[in-house]
DNA sequence: CTGTTAGCGCTTTCAC
DNA sequence: GTGAAAGCGCTAACAG
């Protein structure tokens, strides 16, 4: 295979074609062909026919694109270079689909929402045998499927010898239970949904990593859903998760009004409900953001700052507000007055947005000796702006961040930042979720984890 | 509920108890109680009994911890503060379980691998009705389930009027198909597995975000698996994914020898096979890392650097090597000789590791005028080390990074970095995966995407 | 302790 | 164009 002559290809060098030119045009021929000796079931899923079969109809995969695109726009990369674009790439059918957005209006939308993959693999392929079932294991072990099931799930009611025999057969045949069947039968899939606003936010990435580790440890998988801060996308994700019979959900969101979740174990993480008591159900874990804002501000005050710029972001993240309240408490206690001019509210969290905002302030001649930022990202932007204006951190201005992510370590002189105990947060979230999945009621419905201040050079002259 | 008196609680303030003290001890009472009028099926899953039922046996959730812990250790947060620890937190039963690691040795391991959630929700709860099935929809629409199915999947063979009626009923009842059943029947679940080494790596987080967006657009979900660079964990994840009948897999790994994947659409992203032709199957997409290394090095050479420190990492990521080769090519073309002393090989990618290594070199009096780092993270560490030694970037030393992540924007004066077109990579990966899922053969089996250089101040004096 | 069996919700063949 | 019915793989009630 590797010895074949490489075809020149377009912009991308070294494109190989494993199938060789002869097969190139047989697009509808499934690469994982049907095994010849395979049994053809009377009923049940029809294995792929070699060529014809049901012709592909309905919308191609590009269809949903237009639908979701409006609220989930693809991030701009470098729009100039779009290399190696595939031929036949269907142009998104914008208007036609877009008007069906959000609801099930017609068949086309139905297809979008529920459609099948048309071309399934044949369950046998080139030398690949069909996955073993519990029946097969039962036959080989000389017991009933019920017994195999009991052994697998350690539900008791079997003898030591039977157990050993069954387990041996399981091992020898490399058997793994079919989770779809299990899920159908038990309404639980050993999959946990994690709904997160934006996984590229280092803080959330960290949360997801830790959650995933905790789940894996317990033999569960992690279905991840980015909402991109869109509430309608969030709702879709949640519907999708319930449709998939997930065992539980971890939700990073301020929203609490999903009736879909009433019968499902849910743990809310990181973002408290906006209306404080929107819905009683569900368990909530958050860091003590107010305390974090307080600690950061105290650090600045302790170093002598008296004119502290507060850099925060409006938007969905209610934690920003809590951090700001901590700031207010600290300066209040210190007898420092809050200055209207020293408050920046950004629309979105970004390095460059913060940089520009701080630069504007500096250009306008506003004076301050400290910056308390409610995220590391914005703090990084602030540090850049200061440097560009010839100001030194920490000599001229002290800066604190929030989240203590990699950025804080790398930024300028090292950024003092409020550290959230993400590992503990994730551990606790998982623990509580599993309690609920077991049918137990967690001791509390609200946990607030202490934060600490990681002091770096940005606040120590 | 919100009006109830808050119990003082332990270290965490404001702990609420939604159930009130009376219910507190009834841990085995399911919070989502059984609806009273609910039908009790003769067979099939038994809804939770109020109290007794099958007593909880076998290992608690902590069991798998010890098993996986050794290869997937929890990252250290701030070990000092472990607040709000739950009571009854089971101590992991280390040795007992650990010796069963890696294989199915005994019943206990079986339970760990396959065990059920013991306590399912009653399918009805407080006012929550059972999820509707296709049968219910069929009844309400006055058609058969077959017809409903055909409408949902747009498989044809129904009249316009029938279609409208069915869709109306579906809408009115807020029906969503049960994906477990669908998965069982069709062996495909509209879920795509993404296996990634470490999601906190900003580059991978970015890839995952874009993949997830592409999947969501097409109505698919994203099951994410962190391998933490452990090959045995990777294997477990892959087995788990196949057991769950995922529709396809995106794999960021150098490994190509999973027979489990032979019958499944797989796209390899980012990391080429180590042995270049280990297995012909599967489609591979990567950035042109060699070209990236080349571009970065050229940038340094063009600015006059003649003694360039190469900062790379040994380990699983074969891209590091490609980038290094680009470096070699560039200096070769420029007639610059590679200096043994100017090569740092780190064990792992970290800011602090790079900082220390570069600091050691500086302390040792090794002289260089440029640094070509194979990741932004290490570049950030290098910049810190330089600054700590009183050297200025870019005045004294020029630096380039790789990946063009947030760190590059925030680091020092702004880091010139090689930009990978992650959006296009994800788009292409998804496109190819869906082609394979449809049974089509992609045009090529190997795609190499062009990279660009994002020039910032670290290379422009 | 073990086996028989119904059926979870869905898709698809076959018969009309 | 439509419906009846089988059966995907698994669990759990029930009978022995």
């Amino acid at each position: 295979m590797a010895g074949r002559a490489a075809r020149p290809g377009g912009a991308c060098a070294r494109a190989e074609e494993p199938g060789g030119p002869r097969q190139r045009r047989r697009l509808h021929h499934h690469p994982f062909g049907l095994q010849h000796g395979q049994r053809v079931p009377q009923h049940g899923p029809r294995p792929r026919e070699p060529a014809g079969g049901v012709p592909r109809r309905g919308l191609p995969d590009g269809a949903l694109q237009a639908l979701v695109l409006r609220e989930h726009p693809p991030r701009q990369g470098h729009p100039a270079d779009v290399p190696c674009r595939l031929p036949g790439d269907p142009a998104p059918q914008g208007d036609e689909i877009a008007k069906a957005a959000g609801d099930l209006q017609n068949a086309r939308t139905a297809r979008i929402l529920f459609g099948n993959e048309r071309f399934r693999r044949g369950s046998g392929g080139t030398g690949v045998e069909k996955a073993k079932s519990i029946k097969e294991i039962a036959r080989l072990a000389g017991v009933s499927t019920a017994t195999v099931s009991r052994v697998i799930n350690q539900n008791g009611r079997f003898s030591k010898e039977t157990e050993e025999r069954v387990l041996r057969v399981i091992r020898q045949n490399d058997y793994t239970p079919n989770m779809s069947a299990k899920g159908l039968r038990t309404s639980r899939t050993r999959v946990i949904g994690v709904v997160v606003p934006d996984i590229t936010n280092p803080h959330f990435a960290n949360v997801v990593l830790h959650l995933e580790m905790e789940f894996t440890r317990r033999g569960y998988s992690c279905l991840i859903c980015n909402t991109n801060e869109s509430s309608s996308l969030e709702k879709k994700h949640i519907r999708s998760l319930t449709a998939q019979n997930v065992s539980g959900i971890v939700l990073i969101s301020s929203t609490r009004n999903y009736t879909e979740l009433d019968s499902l174990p849910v743990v809310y993480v990181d973002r408290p409900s906006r209306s404080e008591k929107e819905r009683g159900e569900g368990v909530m874990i958050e860091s003590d953001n107010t305390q974090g804002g307080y600690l950061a501000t105290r650090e600045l005050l302790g170093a002598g700052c008296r004119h502290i710029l507060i850099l925060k972001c409006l938007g969905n993240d209610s934690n920003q507000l809590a951090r700001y309240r901590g700031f207010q408490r600290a300066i209040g206690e210190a007898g420092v007055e809050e200055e209207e001019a020293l408050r920046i509210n950004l629309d979105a969290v970004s390095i460059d947005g913060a940089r520009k905002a701080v630069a504007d302030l500096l250009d306008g001649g506003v004076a301050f000796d400290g910056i308390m930022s409610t995220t590391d990202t914005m703090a990084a932007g602030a540090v850049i702006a200061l440097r560009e204006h010839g100001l030194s951190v920490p000599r001229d201005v002290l800066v604190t961040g929030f989240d203590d992510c990699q950025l804080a370590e790398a930024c300028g002189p090292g950024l003092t930042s409020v550290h959230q105990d993400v590992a503990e947060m994730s551990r606790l979230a998982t623990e509580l979720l599993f309690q609920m999945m077991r049918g137990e009621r967690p001791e509390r419905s609200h946990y607030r984890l202490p934060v600490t201040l990681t002091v770096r050079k940005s606040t120590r002259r």
Side-chain angles (χ1 to χ4, degrees), chain A:
Chain A
M1 213 220 71
R4 257 174 236 254
R7 209 165 52 102
C12 306
R14 284 211 222 171
E16 298 159 23
E17 284 224 34
R22 248 159 298 104
Q23 289 201 19
R24 193 179 311 152
R25 280 291 147 241
R26 301 181 58 185
L27 285 183
H28 281 240
H29 188 162
H30 199 295
F32 318 115
L34 193 64
Q35 199 176 17
H36 280 312
Q38 193 187 342
R39 120 195 120 93
V40 177
Q42 288 284 324
H43 293 276
R46 179 175 49 118
R48 276 277 303 131
E49 283 161 23
V54 182
R56 184 164 160 70
R57 307 190 323 147
L59 287 176
D61 297 315
L64 193 59
Q65 283 189 20
L67 185 64
V68 184
L69 240 148
R70 295 145 80 222
E71 54 187 359
H72 207 186
R75 316 222 155 179
Q76 307 271 353
H78 281 196
D81 46 343
V82 186
C84 289
R85 186 165 300 286
L86 292 175
D89 200 13
Q93 298 163 255
D95 292 337
E96 202 176 343
I97 303 303
K99 67 175 193 286
D103 208 335
L104 189 59
Q105 301 284 5
N106 52 33
R108 179 156 283 175
T109 319
R111 162 137 187 84
I112 291 167
L113 290 178
F114 306 134
N116 287 326
E117 284 151 47
R118 284 325 191 94
F119 294 75
R120 300 191 314 280
R121 66 172 168 185
S123 46
T126 18
V128 189
E129 70 275 35
K130 195 162 160 308
K132 277 152 197 89
S133 75
I134 200 173
K135 214 163 167 180
E136 184 74 358
I137 300 299
R139 194 179 59 74
L140 292 171
V143 295
S144 71
T145 60
T147 301
V148 176
S149 173
R150 283 194 281 255
V151 168
I152 286 174
N153 298 305
Q154 290 290 294
N155 276 343
R157 298 154 157 271
F158 51 80
S159 71
K160 194 74 194 152
E161 306 87 71
T162 309
E163 178 181 10
E164 273 164 18
R165 189 148 31 89
V166 169
L167 287 176
R168 187 157 34 76
V169 173
I170 286 179
R171 241 179 294 126
Q172 284 168 354
N173 290 274
D174 211 33
Y175 165 73
T176 319
N178 180 323
M179 291 320 249
S180 294
K182 197 165 189 156
L184 173 58
R185 190 53 223 251
T186 63
S187 297
R188 283 296 172 273
T189 48
R190 298 182 82 77
V191 171
I192 294 168
V194 177
V195 180
V196 66
D198 172 13
I199 202 173
T200 55
N201 177 324
H203 175 60
F204 292 143
N206 207 8
V207 171
V208 170
L209 175 83
H210 280 90
L211 286 173
E212 195 267 354
M213 278 170 20
E214 295 286 346
F215 299 163
T216 299
R217 242 178 240 178
R218 293 164 161 88
Y220 279 67
S221 300
C222 175
L223 203 48
I224 185 181
C225 305
N226 270 286
T227 66
N228 205 12
E229 304 282 10
S230 150
S231 61
S232 72
L233 192 52
E234 181 173 294
K235 189 167 176 65
K236 271 183 200 144
H237 276 309
I238 283 172
R239 286 199 55 170
S240 157
L241 289 175
T242 52
Q244 289 179 66
N245 286 326
V246 291
S247 296
I249 294 185
V250 175
L251 199 48
I252 303 185
S253 165
S254 301
T255 310
R256 294 288 184 280
N257 56 359
Y258 293 111
T259 50
E260 294 92 331
L261 299 181
D262 282 349
S263 55
L264 207 58
V266 181
V267 173
Y268 295 88
V269 163
D270 197 276
R271 294 187 177 180
S273 161
R274 245 163 304 185
S275 56
E276 278 295 341
K277 49 177 177 178
E278 207 178 324
R279 246 184 128 74
E281 297 299 333
V283 173
M284 162 79 208
I285 310 171
E286 60 179 329
S287 283
D288 195 339
N289 284 288
T290 307
Q291 177 69 4
Y294 180 78
L295 287 177
T297 311
R298 289 267 303 206
E299 171 78 7
L300 295 171
L301 291 165
C305 296
R306 284 303 170 269
H307 303 279
I308 301 176
L309 174 65
I310 170 87
L311 187 52
K312 67 194 177 79
C313 173
L314 302 170
N316 289 328
D317 188 352
S318 47
N319 293 329
Q320 303 273 332
L321 203 60
R323 294 167 191 180
Y324 175 55
R325 279 199 300 267
F327 163 81
Q328 289 180 308
R329 180 152 64 88
I331 62 170
E333 285 180 13
V336 173
E337 203 135 323
E338 192 177 350
E339 300 172 57
E340 188 75 36
L342 295 184
R343 194 163 53 215
I344 293 181
N345 283 312
L346 293 176
D347 289 331
V349 171
S350 78
I351 293 183
D352 212 51
R355 185 187 63 73
K356 288 203 181 96
V358 173
D360 283 352
L361 229 58
L362 289 168
D363 288 338
V366 178
F368 47 87
D369 50 15
I371 300 180
M372 190 280 200
S373 167
T374 54
T375 69
D376 282 342
T377 310
M378 293 189 294
V383 169
I384 294 172
L386 291 169
R387 191 169 41 221
E388 288 175 349
H389 281 74
L391 293 169
S392 159
V393 179
R395 201 189 57 221
D396 305 312
V397 179
L398 307 194
V399 183
T400 63
F402 211 113
D403 286 345
D404 195 17
C405 66
Q406 231 190 14
L407 224 47
E409 200 181 344
C411 171
L415 194 65
T416 293
S417 188
V418 177
H419 180 89
Q420 302 191 51
D421 193 346
V422 172
E424 172 60 15
M425 199 164 189
S426 309
R427 197 201 63 73
L428 183 58
T430 310
E431 182 70 41
L432 293 170
L433 195 62
F434 276 72
Q435 279 185 23
M436 293 168 78
M437 278 158 42
R438 265 182 260 130
E440 299 167 18
R441 178 192 299 281
E443 284 245 317
R444 304 171 185 160
S445 69
H446 196 167
Y447 294 80
R448 186 165 294 160
L449 301 185
V451 295
T452 53
L453 194 69
T454 303
V455 178
R456 296 200 181 82
K457 296 201 181 122
S458 71
T459 55
R460 293 291 154 101
R461 325 197 202 233

